[in-house]
Short mmCIF file of all heavy atoms in Angstrom, two decimals:
data_model
loop_
_atom_site.label_atom_id
_atom_site.label_comp_id
_atom_site.label_asym_id
_atom_site.label_seq_id
_atom_site.Cartn_x
_atom_site.Cartn_y
_atom_site.Cartn_z
N ASP P 249 50.13 -147.70 16.32
CA ASP P 249 50.87 -148.94 15.95
C ASP P 249 51.52 -148.70 14.61
O ASP P 249 50.97 -149.13 13.62
CB ASP P 249 49.86 -150.07 15.85
CG ASP P 249 50.34 -151.27 15.48
OD1 ASP P 249 51.39 -151.68 15.87
OD2 ASP P 249 49.86 -151.87 14.38
N ASP P 258 59.43 -156.41 14.28
CA ASP P 258 59.13 -157.84 14.07
C ASP P 258 60.42 -158.66 13.67
O ASP P 258 60.75 -159.67 14.11
CB ASP P 258 58.02 -158.09 13.17
CG ASP P 258 56.73 -157.74 13.83
OD1 ASP P 258 56.68 -157.56 15.00
OD2 ASP P 258 55.69 -157.58 13.11
N ASN P 271 59.54 -169.25 16.10
CA ASN P 271 58.27 -168.92 15.49
C ASN P 271 57.71 -170.25 14.91
O ASN P 271 56.42 -170.58 15.10
CB ASN P 271 58.42 -167.91 14.36
CG ASN P 271 57.07 -167.33 13.95
OD1 ASN P 271 56.18 -167.12 14.74
ND2 ASN P 271 57.02 -167.24 12.67
N ASP P 292 41.70 -165.90 15.29
CA ASP P 292 43.05 -165.66 15.65
C ASP P 292 43.04 -164.17 15.99
O ASP P 292 42.85 -163.22 15.16
CB ASP P 292 43.91 -165.94 14.50
CG ASP P 292 45.44 -165.68 14.86
OD1 ASP P 292 45.64 -165.79 16.02
OD2 ASP P 292 46.25 -165.42 14.05
N LEU P 293 43.23 -163.85 17.25
CA LEU P 293 43.16 -162.41 17.72
C LEU P 293 44.58 -161.79 17.62
O LEU P 293 45.57 -162.39 18.24
CB LEU P 293 42.58 -162.44 19.18
CG LEU P 293 41.18 -163.03 19.33
CD1 LEU P 293 40.88 -163.20 20.65
CD2 LEU P 293 40.25 -162.13 18.53
N GLY P 294 44.76 -160.66 17.11
CA GLY P 294 45.97 -160.12 16.88
C GLY P 294 46.81 -160.92 15.86
O GLY P 294 47.89 -161.40 16.08
N CYS P 295 46.08 -161.10 14.77
CA CYS P 295 46.62 -162.03 13.77
C CYS P 295 47.92 -161.60 13.01
O CYS P 295 48.55 -162.32 12.36
CB CYS P 295 45.59 -162.51 12.76
SG CYS P 295 45.01 -161.07 11.76
N GLY P 296 48.14 -160.17 13.11
CA GLY P 296 49.24 -159.70 12.45
C GLY P 296 49.32 -159.99 10.96
O GLY P 296 48.38 -159.88 10.31
N SER P 297 50.39 -160.46 10.45
CA SER P 297 50.43 -160.64 8.97
C SER P 297 49.86 -161.98 8.46
O SER P 297 50.11 -162.39 7.47
CB SER P 297 51.92 -160.55 8.48
OG SER P 297 52.69 -161.50 9.08
N LYS P 299 50.28 -165.26 9.52
CA LYS P 299 50.98 -166.63 9.46
C LYS P 299 50.22 -167.77 9.97
O LYS P 299 50.28 -168.71 9.33
CB LYS P 299 52.39 -166.48 10.11
CG LYS P 299 53.42 -165.69 9.41
CD LYS P 299 54.77 -165.80 10.12
CE LYS P 299 55.61 -164.60 9.83
NZ LYS P 299 56.26 -163.93 10.94
N VAL P 316 41.69 -161.21 13.31
CA VAL P 316 41.37 -159.90 13.87
C VAL P 316 42.64 -159.16 14.24
O VAL P 316 43.50 -159.81 14.93
CB VAL P 316 40.50 -159.94 15.09
CG1 VAL P 316 40.10 -158.64 15.59
CG2 VAL P 316 39.26 -160.92 14.93
N ASP P 317 42.78 -157.95 13.84
CA ASP P 317 43.93 -157.17 14.23
C ASP P 317 43.50 -155.76 14.33
O ASP P 317 42.70 -155.22 13.57
CB ASP P 317 45.20 -157.32 13.38
CG ASP P 317 46.51 -157.05 14.08
OD1 ASP P 317 46.76 -155.87 14.31
OD2 ASP P 317 47.21 -158.01 14.44
N VAL P 318 44.18 -154.97 15.30
CA VAL P 318 43.83 -153.54 15.33
C VAL P 318 44.44 -152.78 14.27
O VAL P 318 44.11 -151.68 13.88
CB VAL P 318 44.23 -153.01 16.66
CG1 VAL P 318 45.72 -152.86 16.77
CG2 VAL P 318 43.54 -151.69 17.06
N SER P 319 45.57 -153.31 13.55
CA SER P 319 46.32 -152.62 12.61
C SER P 319 45.92 -152.90 11.20
O SER P 319 45.81 -154.00 10.76
CB SER P 319 47.84 -153.00 12.81
OG SER P 319 48.48 -152.76 11.65
N ALA P 322 48.66 -154.29 9.08
CA ALA P 322 48.96 -155.77 9.34
C ALA P 322 47.87 -156.55 8.54
O ALA P 322 48.24 -157.53 7.90
CB ALA P 322 48.89 -156.01 10.82
N GLY P 348 39.78 -154.89 14.45
CA GLY P 348 39.09 -154.90 15.74
C GLY P 348 40.11 -154.73 16.87
O GLY P 348 41.30 -155.06 16.66
N ALA P 349 39.71 -154.42 17.91
CA ALA P 349 40.65 -154.28 19.20
C ALA P 349 40.27 -155.33 20.17
O ALA P 349 39.16 -155.44 20.48
CB ALA P 349 40.53 -152.85 19.78
N LEU P 350 41.30 -155.85 20.78
CA LEU P 350 40.96 -156.98 21.69
C LEU P 350 40.48 -156.58 22.97
O LEU P 350 40.01 -157.40 23.89
CB LEU P 350 42.28 -157.83 21.88
CG LEU P 350 43.06 -158.25 20.66
CD1 LEU P 350 44.17 -159.17 21.18
CD2 LEU P 350 42.03 -158.96 19.88
N THR P 351 40.56 -155.29 23.21
CA THR P 351 40.10 -154.75 24.60
C THR P 351 38.72 -154.33 24.50
O THR P 351 38.26 -153.72 25.60
CB THR P 351 41.11 -153.64 24.97
OG1 THR P 351 41.25 -152.81 23.92
CG2 THR P 351 42.42 -154.19 25.49
N ILE P 366 48.33 -165.16 19.93
CA ILE P 366 49.69 -165.62 19.81
C ILE P 366 50.70 -164.40 19.88
O ILE P 366 50.64 -163.62 18.95
CB ILE P 366 49.86 -166.47 18.60
CG1 ILE P 366 48.89 -167.48 18.52
CG2 ILE P 366 51.34 -167.00 18.47
CD1 ILE P 366 48.76 -168.48 19.81
N GLU P 367 51.46 -164.27 21.04
CA GLU P 367 52.41 -163.27 21.14
C GLU P 367 51.73 -161.82 21.03
O GLU P 367 52.18 -160.93 20.24
CB GLU P 367 53.45 -163.37 20.10
CG GLU P 367 54.29 -164.71 20.08
CD GLU P 367 55.00 -165.01 21.33
OE1 GLU P 367 55.95 -164.37 21.60
OE2 GLU P 367 54.48 -165.86 22.23
N VAL P 368 50.58 -161.67 21.58
CA VAL P 368 49.83 -160.38 21.64
C VAL P 368 49.67 -159.72 22.91
O VAL P 368 49.91 -158.50 23.00
CB VAL P 368 48.47 -160.59 20.96
CG1 VAL P 368 47.62 -159.45 20.94
CG2 VAL P 368 48.54 -161.17 19.51
N HIS P 371 51.77 -156.92 24.15
CA HIS P 371 51.73 -155.64 23.41
C HIS P 371 50.61 -154.79 24.08
O HIS P 371 50.37 -153.58 23.59
CB HIS P 371 51.22 -155.78 21.96
CG HIS P 371 52.44 -156.49 21.07
ND1 HIS P 371 53.35 -155.66 20.38
CD2 HIS P 371 52.79 -157.82 20.98
CE1 HIS P 371 54.22 -156.59 19.81
NE2 HIS P 371 53.83 -157.79 20.09
N LEU P 372 49.84 -155.28 24.95
CA LEU P 372 48.83 -154.52 25.60
C LEU P 372 49.32 -153.79 26.82
O LEU P 372 50.15 -154.39 27.61
CB LEU P 372 47.67 -155.37 26.06
CG LEU P 372 47.03 -156.19 24.91
CD1 LEU P 372 45.92 -157.19 25.62
CD2 LEU P 372 46.35 -155.36 23.83
N1 SAH B 501 49.87 -163.25 16.25
C1 SAH B 501 50.86 -162.86 15.27
C2 SAH B 501 51.31 -161.33 15.54
C3 SAH B 501 51.86 -160.91 16.86
S1 SAH B 501 52.36 -159.23 16.92
C4 SAH B 501 51.92 -163.64 15.33
O1 SAH B 501 52.14 -164.47 16.29
O2 SAH B 501 52.81 -163.52 14.38
C5 SAH B 501 51.17 -158.58 17.92
C6 SAH B 501 49.96 -158.17 16.97
O3 SAH B 501 48.84 -157.77 17.83
C7 SAH B 501 50.20 -156.95 16.00
O4 SAH B 501 49.75 -157.36 14.74
C8 SAH B 501 49.28 -155.83 16.54
O5 SAH B 501 48.79 -155.11 15.67
C9 SAH B 501 48.26 -156.69 17.29
N2 SAH B 501 47.61 -155.83 18.47
C10 SAH B 501 48.38 -155.23 19.47
N3 SAH B 501 47.35 -154.72 20.25
C11 SAH B 501 46.09 -154.96 19.79
C12 SAH B 501 44.79 -154.77 20.32
N4 SAH B 501 44.57 -154.10 21.38
N5 SAH B 501 43.81 -155.25 19.59
C13 SAH B 501 44.08 -156.07 18.48
N6 SAH B 501 45.22 -156.28 18.03
C14 SAH B 501 46.24 -155.82 18.68
#
Side-chain angles (χ1 to χ4, degrees):
D249 174 48
D258 287 344
N271 188 44
D292 185 26
L293 300 171
C295 64
S297 63
K299 285 188 206 132
V316 183
D317 205 286
V318 76
S319 154
L350 307 187
T351 43
I366 306 308
E367 305 297 286
V368 176
H371 291 265
L372 303 177

